[in-house]
Amino acid sequence: MESRPDYDAVVIGGGPAGSTAAYLLGRFGHRVALFERQRYPRDKLCAGCLSQKSVRFLERVYSLPVPALRKEGLLDFTGTDYALYIGSNRVLAEDLAEPFHFTRRERYDTYLAHKAAEAGAEIHEGVDVTAIDHVNRIVTTSDGEQYTARAIIGADGIHSRVRRSLPDSAIDPERWNKNLGWALELAIPREEAEVRMSEEATIRLSDGLTTPCLVLDVCRWGYGWVFPNREEIIVGIGGLIEKNRRGLPDRLREFLKVVGLSAFEERKPAGWPLPFGNYITSPAYEGTLLVGDAGGFASPILGEGIFYAHRTAELAAHAVDRHITTGAPLAGTYTSLLNRRLIPELQAEMRLRDFIYRCLDARMYIPLVALMRTTRRRVIDAVQGSRSFRRFRHDEDLHTAVW
Ligand SMILES: Cc1cc2nc3c(=O)[nH]c(=O)nc-3n(C[C@H](O)[C@H](O)[C@H](O)COP(=O)(O)OP(=O)(O)OC[C@H]3O[C@@H](n4cnc5c(N)ncnc54)[C@H](O)[C@@H]3O)c2cc1C
């Protein structure tokens, strides 16, 4: 007789993707273990912007509407307007119908890991998964233990060991590398930024540094951002590695000058890879599914990944549940859910990304600006998730419960 696996599911990585998968599987009544190599509270380089896509997800799946997020201390700042620049020319600046919220990842991720534990998942902190046998569904951990499971969820971020252990045929490394971004970010204490801001700036940041600001054309196939937090100002740039080679540190220095923060150019920025359109369309192999950054799931235009981490984890949790309860094929169920609920949206956003950056490469500023101004409301709605990037129509695929 076949022996019972140790767990129904093993989740590797405890960021927003891993914790959401573990939380849902726990709620479905499955036996789940989550292995996180660090200990909470652990930080993750991130500007912490939560679009309305994430806000809606947190309300629908975690029953956490905005007042509850605030009460739990998960919202650090709320931006009620935005400004978009091309170089130093302001193209758009207006109030938002719905705000962007900003969170601090050490708090956000710790909170979500606790929610997974409350839902019944075993959380193993400080445990690194060192090897994965996808066919026999066994994971080996840094303490030499081995665990069997009916399904393995790789939620181990952009450097994912789980992804790197899959065969090339499952992940298309060429496409992955072509669409992989790199980001550099500085967190500047708000008081210091206010005192040391230069008058020479070509982009004058808002009084009180409250307006989230996006700047195109500061690097190739990417953008710069200045995002307000309560205590800090987050300044960063991110773009495709292939298009920028090693030029990003210089571009960040120039960007700091443009926004009047060159006093901080000697500070060492933190750097981290960023998914920028390298999502894998069939991120499943044998007993293993990839979610979140591990599968390259983030907005191809903005690199916003928190929502996509949550949503892919939700789809994966449902695929695991169907596999266990009905015997449905694990990989096939996950990829078909993804292809129905998420991939068409990412493909449409990718087409818009390519169009915008080709226009910038060709210096076609005037038609691009005209198009941005006429479509701005629809694009903001698509970023916030109330419209689809597919012809900007109203579409609920991103938000509907899976069943
Ligand atoms: C500079 C920058 C700014 C960003 N700003 C935003 C933003 O404003 N808004 C937004 O939505 N997104 C933003 N993102 C993207 C966002 O941070 C990611 O998309 C998101 O963190 C993905 O979540 P995840 O759970 O997939 O992975 P992660 O959050 O990276 O979590 C992966 C976890 O796996 C663990 N792990 C790794 N390997 C192992 C192993 N072998 N065993 C056990 N554990 C392991 C890691 O310790 C980590 O805790 C930004 C990214 C960068 C780089």
Side-chain angles (χ1 to χ4, degrees):
M1 203 173 74
E2 233 178 85
S3 67
R4 190 178 184 225
D6 298 318
Y7 296 103
D8 292 322
V10 162
V11 179
I12 304 167
S19 289
T20 300
Y23 168 75
L24 286 171
L25 286 165
R27 276 203 357 203
F28 296 158
H30 299 304
R31 292 169 304 124
V32 192
L34 182 153
F35 294 101
E36 165 55 52
R37 66 152 63 121
Q38 299 181 66
R39 290 191 175 276
Y40 299 105
R42 73 99 176 83
D43 205 2
K44 154 77 178 71
L45 186 67
C46 184
C49 181
L50 297 177
S51 70
Q52 291 294 320
K53 287 200 279 258
S54 300
V55 170
R56 282 179 71 179
F57 186 93
L58 292 165
E59 176 160 7
R60 178 173 63 79
V61 173
Y62 284 96
S63 305
L64 285 169
V66 169
L69 293 172
R70 245 186 248 295
K71 187 161 158 271
E72 297 294 346
L74 297 175
L75 301 185
D76 186 65
F77 194 87
T78 295
T80 54
D81 60 349
Y82 77 100
L84 176 75
Y85 292 79
I86 296 184
S88 47
N89 297 315
R90 195 165 70 177
V91 177
L92 300 171
E94 59 185 349
D95 287 340
L96 287 159
E98 296 179 293
F100 288 122
H101 297 286
F102 294 87
T103 190
R104 295 193 67 94
R105 288 291 302 273
E106 68 274 26
R107 188 163 179 93
Y108 188 78
D109 291 21
T110 305
Y111 182 86
L112 294 177
H114 282 151
K115 292 298 273 186
E118 273 172 30
E122 281 177 25
I123 310 290
H124 300 262
E125 294 178 54
V127 181
D128 198 350
V129 169
T130 52
I132 306 102
D133 175 342
H134 304 285
V135 176
N136 297 305
R137 307 183 188 199
I138 303 170
V139 299
T140 306
T141 56
S142 43
D143 44 20
E145 298 292 335
Q146 288 200 322
Y147 302 93
T148 54
R150 291 195 163 91
I152 297 169
I153 296 186
D156 50 344
I158 193 78
H159 293 296
S160 174
R161 176 171 281 144
V162 181
R163 184 189 64 251
R164 284 182 286 118
S165 65
L166 295 178
D168 280 1
S169 57
I171 55 171
D172 188 354
E174 198 180 321
R175 185 177 179 284
W176 176 271
N177 291 328
K178 197 166 159 359
N179 290 288
L180 183 63
W182 187 266
L184 292 173
E185 206 173 70
L186 270 182
I188 303 176
R190 181 173 269 282
E191 277 178 19
E192 269 192 79
E194 280 163 1
V195 172
R196 299 181 67 192
M197 182 162 292
S198 158
E199 292 293 314
E200 317 267 284
T202 44
I203 291 181
R204 300 296 296 264
L205 297 175
S206 64
D207 285 347
L209 297 172
T210 54
T211 303
C213 179
L214 304 179
V215 187
L216 293 169
D217 228 15
V218 293
C219 62
R220 291 195 62 212
W221 292 64
Y223 68 104
W225 59 89
V226 183
F227 285 168
N229 273 203
R230 194 169 31 213
E231 306 289 344
E232 290 173 329
I233 303 299
I234 311 291
V235 187
I237 62 169
L240 289 183
I241 296 171
E242 193 190 51
K243 301 279 183 187
N244 290 282
R245 300 289 162 198
R246 294 178 184 279
L248 283 177
D250 289 339
R251 299 287 90 76
L252 178 64
R253 269 191 289 279
E254 284 161 21
F255 182 50
L256 286 168
K257 202 172 288 169
V258 166
V259 295
L261 295 169
S262 53
F264 302 95
E265 68 178 27
E266 296 311 321
R267 297 222 176 145
K268 194 170 160 31
W272 198 254
L274 191 65
F276 239 140
N278 50 342
Y279 54 87
I280 302 170
T281 49
S282 300
Y285 176 74
E286 297 284 351
T288 301
L289 312 178
L290 296 176
V291 295
D293 274 13
F297 292 104
S299 148
I301 293 180
L302 295 173
E304 172 200 4
I306 296 172
F307 167 74
Y308 297 90
H310 286 309
R311 182 62 167 161
T312 51
E314 182 188 24
L315 300 179
H318 280 275
V320 172
D321 181 57
R322 282 186 209 179
H323 175 62
I324 293 170
T325 55
T326 70
L330 180 65
T333 305
Y334 181 46
T335 51
S336 88
L337 283 172
L338 274 177
N339 280 291
R340 223 172 62 224
R341 307 284 184 155
L342 196 65
I343 301 289
E345 187 63 20
L346 290 170
Q347 285 167 335
E349 193 177 338
M350 187 87 163
R351 286 192 290 277
L352 182 61
R353 179 201 83 169
D354 291 353
F355 173 78
I356 293 170
Y357 290 117
R358 283 196 187 116
C359 285
L360 290 172
D361 274 356
R363 300 183 180 280
M364 291 168 54
Y365 298 121
I366 293 171
L368 182 61
V369 169
L371 186 78
M372 282 177 163
R373 288 191 171 140
T374 46
T375 58
R376 71 185 193 284
R377 289 270 152 77
R378 279 171 282 169
V379 174
I380 291 286
D381 285 353
V383 168
Q384 297 278 38
S386 59
R387 281 179 197 269
S388 164
F389 277 99
R390 285 174 287 163
R391 298 170 190 272
F392 297 121
R393 61 180 187 229
H394 289 285
D395 181 310
E396 288 296 299
D397 273 359
L398 279 181
H399 303 293
T400 40
V402 176
W403 293 113

